[in-house]
């Protein structure tokens, strides 16, 4: 069975700040992952799975699912490079 980060967080009775702290990331970054605005890196997905106590393949990330079905949506990746 696949769970979204939001379902896992709410199942633990946590708010976004608490989940972000537990995963070792900022609340804003966690919010972007949960709301489908950012696809987490493989490493971040592993950290979130570990925090939530599930296998990585049990988490369904909204942005990943959207990016697979709508490639031109403009979802940001954790691997996006920046130029100065």
């Amino acid at each position: 069975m696949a769970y979204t980060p939001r379902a896992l967080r709410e199942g633990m009775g946590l708010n976004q700040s608490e989940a972000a702290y537990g995963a070792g990331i900022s609340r804003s970054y966690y919010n972007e992952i949960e709301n489908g605005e950012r696809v987490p890196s493989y490493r971040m997905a592993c950290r979130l799975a570990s925090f939530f106590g599930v296998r990585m393949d049990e988490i369904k990330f909204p942005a990943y699912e959207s990016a697979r079905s709508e490639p031109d949506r403009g979802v940001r990746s954790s691997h996006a490079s920046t130029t100065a």
Side-chain angles (χ1 to χ4, degrees):
M1 180 168 223
Y3 306 95
T4 63
R6 176 174 282 139
L8 291 166
R9 174 182 60 78
E10 290 175 349
M12 294 176 73
L14 302 174
N15 63 38
Q16 284 188 343
S17 294
E18 293 165 331
Y21 179 81
I25 59 176
S26 71
R27 188 209 50 81
S28 61
Y29 181 42
Y30 179 83
N31 178 278
E32 290 174 346
I33 291 170
E34 189 174 285
N35 290 319
E37 297 168 13
R38 181 168 266 185
V39 177
S41 67
Y42 176 80
R43 187 174 182 177
M44 180 52 59
C46 289
R47 286 173 68 181
L48 289 167
S50 177
F51 172 70
F52 288 125
V54 298
R55 292 188 329 262
M56 193 173 68
D57 65 340
E58 293 180 294
I59 302 179
K60 183 177 181 178
F61 294 101
Y64 177 74
E65 296 301 318
S66 295
R68 289 177 61 195
S69 63
E70 301 176 32
D72 295 330
R73 184 169 172 255
V75 174
R76 295 186 319 198
S77 168
S78 296
H79 297 291
S81 62
T82 57
T83 57

